[in-house]
């Protein structure tokens, strides 16, 4: 079962700013390319290559941002938990999961593994129970718990 990755408002604002900067960069370098081609001054091949690379970079960034927005999710099957963030993907063995904790105070979900590492799950709060039940169906040995503690800020906090 798939669960959509929930991006924060701050992350969405950053993505919008990055799209705008990519568009600005692409436009500016396209103007530079047209000016270079129509110029009477002989320009080295290195300049053309650098302008072309500066045209490709905003396109690549826009493709990556779009993939993050459209293809970011958590998928649980019989053997694995797949965390997909755009083009990037991590796979975790369901049998390595020790417990899942739902924090009702800060509205967060965390998975703790047998090797004492953890993974924070960023999904919509209304999907928490479905996510947990799907995970518990895949591995009956996973312990489920709820907490109402504040998130720890560090060792000295």
């Amino acid at each position: 079962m798939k669960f959509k990755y929930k991006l924060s408002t701050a992350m969405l604002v950053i993505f919008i700013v990055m799209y705008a900067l990519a568009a600005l960069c692409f436009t500016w370098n396209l103007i530079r390319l047209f000016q270079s081609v129509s110029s009477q001054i002989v320009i080295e091949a290195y300049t053309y290559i650098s302008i072309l690379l500066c045209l490709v970079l905003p396109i690549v960034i826009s493709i990556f941002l779009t993939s993050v927005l459209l293809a970011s999710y958590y998928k649980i099957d019989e053997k694995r938990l797949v965390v997909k963030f755009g083009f990037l993907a991590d796979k975790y063995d369901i049998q390595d999961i020790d417990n899942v904790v739902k924090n009702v105070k800060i509205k967060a979900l965390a998975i703790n593994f047998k090797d004492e590492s953890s993974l924070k799950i960023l999904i919509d709060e209304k999907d928490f129970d479905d996510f947990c039940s799907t995970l518990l169906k895949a591995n009956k040995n996973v312990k489920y718990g709820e907490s109402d503690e504040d998130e720890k800020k560090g060792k000295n906090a």
Side-chain angles (χ1 to χ4, degrees), residues 1 4 34 107:
M1 183 170 207
K4 181 87 172 118
F34 286 138
K107 296 175 175 70

Side-chain angles (χ1 to χ4, degrees), residues 116-128:
E116 297 183 10
S117 62
S118 63
L119 176 67
K120 188 172 182 180
I121 304 298
L122 302 173
I123 58 175
D124 198 13
E125 186 182 355
K126 66 180 175 57
D127 293 331
F128 282 3

